[in-house]
């Protein structure tokens, strides 16, 4: 079997720095200018495997790229970027704002943001945005001044930020998904999604996932449809498509190599799978998304 090369989407502790373990402090805070001015105001697409980031944009319009989707966002805005999400930015030299970086181990035990979330969250205006802006300001004030009980204050403010992020996320999801009815169903679906993240490229069936969660296939299907509106198999396919899009957009791999990395033994099957769900071929998607990339 051909050995698949390592994923070449850059992964950093902090952008432009070699991967290393740990940060020198509980969190890390810097202005958007601190790093981007040394990279011609362009942060190329990359991801962090074990860091959660909170961006606070205070002035100018920012070009944002998230998992291949490109958009222009007018400040003020707050952006939550969970681990493993591919992200890139184009700033103006006039940009004012901050980025707060939090190691995921600091968030362990706190499931307020969906276990640090699988999807980014962008907020512009509203009660949650106003409250988050104040909390981020207070967090940075504690970070800057080494006063007594500093780490305790940092943790408490960070917890409040995550709570308000969770509230905003819940309000957003309430408009898109069926309301959650039972805590047991929520727990099973959460466990299922964690297993999908680990095994989506291994060809597991819905029965395999149900067995690993400790329930029946029919119960898992009811849970997933109740909470997300989608079946377990659809959710697995969603994750496969997300990773396919990442690799097509951010790596030079041949499509056959992308197919193999995602667990497809046959390139033709991968192409049909992709086209039926995306409405275009993998090669067409790659050409289209690269033509629209932030530059």
């Amino acid at each position: 079997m051909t050995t698949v090369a390592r994923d070449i989407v850059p992964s950093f502790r902090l952008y432009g720095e070699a991967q290393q373990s740990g940060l020198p402090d509980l969190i890390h805070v810097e202005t958007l200018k601190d790093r981007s001015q040394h990279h011609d105001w362009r942060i190329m697409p990359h991801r962090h495997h074990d860091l959660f980031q909170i961006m606070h944009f205070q002035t100018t319009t920012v070009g944002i790229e998230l998992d291949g989707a490109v958009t222009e966002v007018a400040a003020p805005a707050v952006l939550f970027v969970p681990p493993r999400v591919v992200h890139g930015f184009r700033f103006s030299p006039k940009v004012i704002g901050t980025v707060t970086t939090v190691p995921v181990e600091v968030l362990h035990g706190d499931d307020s943001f969906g276990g640090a979330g699988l999807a980014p969250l962008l907020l512009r205006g509203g009660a949650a945005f106003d409250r988050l802006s104040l909390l981020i300001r207070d967090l940075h004030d504690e970070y800057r001044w080494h006063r007594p009980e500093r780490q305790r204050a940092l943790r408490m403010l960070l917890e409040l930020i995550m709570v308000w992020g969770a509230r905003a996320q819940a309000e957003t999801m309430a408009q898109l998904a069926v309301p959650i009815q039972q805590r047991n169903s929520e727990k099973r679906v959460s466990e299922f999604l964690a297993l999908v993240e680990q095994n989506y490229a291994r060809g597991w069936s819905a029965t395999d996932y149900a067995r690993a969660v400790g329930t029946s296939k029919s119960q898992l299907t009811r849970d997933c449809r109740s909470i997300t509106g989608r079946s377990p198999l659809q959710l697995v396919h969603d994750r496969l498509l997300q990773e396919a899009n990442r690799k097509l957009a951010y790596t030079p791999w041949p499509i056959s190599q992308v197919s193999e990395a995602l667990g497809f033994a046959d390139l033709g099957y991968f192409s049909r799978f992709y086209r039926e769900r995306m409405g275009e071929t993998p090669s067409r998607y790659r050409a289209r998304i690269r033509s629209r990339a932030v530059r």
Side-chain angles (χ1 to χ4, degrees):
M1 179 176 177
T2 303
T3 300
V4 177
R6 180 176 59 87
D7 191 340
I8 65 171
V9 176
S11 176
F12 299 114
R13 288 297 290 186
L14 294 174
Y15 183 81
E17 298 181 8
Q19 193 81 359
Q20 58 184 9
S21 59
L23 291 176
D25 205 342
L26 185 72
I27 62 175
H28 179 77
V29 178
E30 63 185 32
T31 70
L32 297 175
K33 283 186 176 181
D34 286 339
R35 197 165 299 263
S36 61
Q37 65 184 337
H38 301 297
H39 297 277
D40 196 27
W41 307 103
R42 176 72 172 96
I43 302 298
M44 299 300 290
H46 64 287
R47 57 180 157 187
H48 310 282
H49 284 278
D50 54 1
L51 297 177
F52 192 101
Q53 292 191 309
I54 304 164
M55 311 277 185
H56 189 200
F57 309 118
Q58 294 172 263
T59 65
T60 76
T61 296
V62 179
I64 301 178
E65 184 169 346
L66 296 169
D67 278 344
V70 180
T71 188
E72 298 281 332
V73 174
V78 171
L79 174 67
F80 286 72
V81 183
R84 297 182 298 278
V85 171
V86 179
H87 54 287
F89 303 94
R90 185 187 69 246
F91 298 113
S92 159
K94 296 181 180 180
V95 68
I96 296 176
T98 57
V99 53
T100 303
T101 302
V102 186
V104 292
E105 57 264 26
V106 174
L107 302 174
H108 282 175
D110 177 7
D111 61 357
S112 62
F113 195 65
L118 291 178
L121 174 67
L122 178 68
L123 296 174
R124 296 186 64 247
F129 169 80
D130 293 340
R131 184 59 176 159
L132 280 165
S133 296
L134 293 173
L135 288 169
I136 291 170
R137 183 198 64 189
D138 291 343
L139 181 74
H140 294 174
D141 183 65
E142 286 293 341
Y143 177 81
R144 185 180 303 111
W145 303 107
H146 288 254
R147 294 175 287 214
E149 300 288 341
R150 174 177 178 270
Q151 289 216 347
R152 184 181 178 188
L154 287 174
R155 289 183 182 276
M156 293 176 70
L157 285 165
L158 183 60
E159 184 173 355
L160 279 172
I161 288 170
M162 300 305 286
V163 165
W164 277 92
R167 289 173 177 173
Q169 186 186 56
E171 290 177 3
T172 300
M173 293 304 294
Q175 301 172 9
L176 303 174
V178 177
I180 297 174
Q181 298 178 358
Q182 297 180 2
R183 183 162 297 276
N184 286 341
S185 293
E186 181 181 354
K187 182 175 183 296
R188 284 191 292 266
V189 171
S190 178
E191 291 175 359
F192 164 68
L193 292 175
L195 286 167
V196 171
E197 187 63 31
Q198 298 169 14
N199 301 288
Y200 63 85
R202 295 180 61 186
W204 279 25
S205 67
T207 301
D208 294 326
Y209 282 107
R211 186 180 300 114
V213 170
T215 189
S216 65
K217 176 184 175 182
S218 59
Q219 181 63 60
L220 182 61
T221 299
R222 286 193 295 271
D223 291 337
C224 288
R225 288 197 178 279
S226 171
I227 293 171
T228 71
R230 298 180 70 74
S231 71
L233 191 58
Q234 286 174 318
L235 291 168
V236 174
H237 288 173
D238 288 346
R239 184 63 182 90
L240 276 168
L241 286 171
Q242 180 187 54
E243 196 63 28
N245 288 341
R246 287 175 176 174
K247 286 178 167 55
L248 289 168
Y250 299 114
T251 77
W253 293 1
I255 293 174
S256 60
Q257 193 172 356
V258 173
S259 170
E260 184 178 348
L262 296 176
F264 290 87
D266 178 74
L267 175 59
Y269 176 42
F270 169 67
S271 296
R272 290 191 298 275
F273 169 87
Y274 189 92
R275 185 174 61 252
E276 288 171 1
R277 290 160 181 81
M278 294 293 293
E280 60 185 338
T281 64
S283 58
R284 174 58 185 157
Y285 171 83
R286 169 172 276 175
R288 179 174 61 81
I289 206 68
R290 289 185 176 180
S291 70
R292 295 171 49 200
V294 175
R295 303 185 185 282

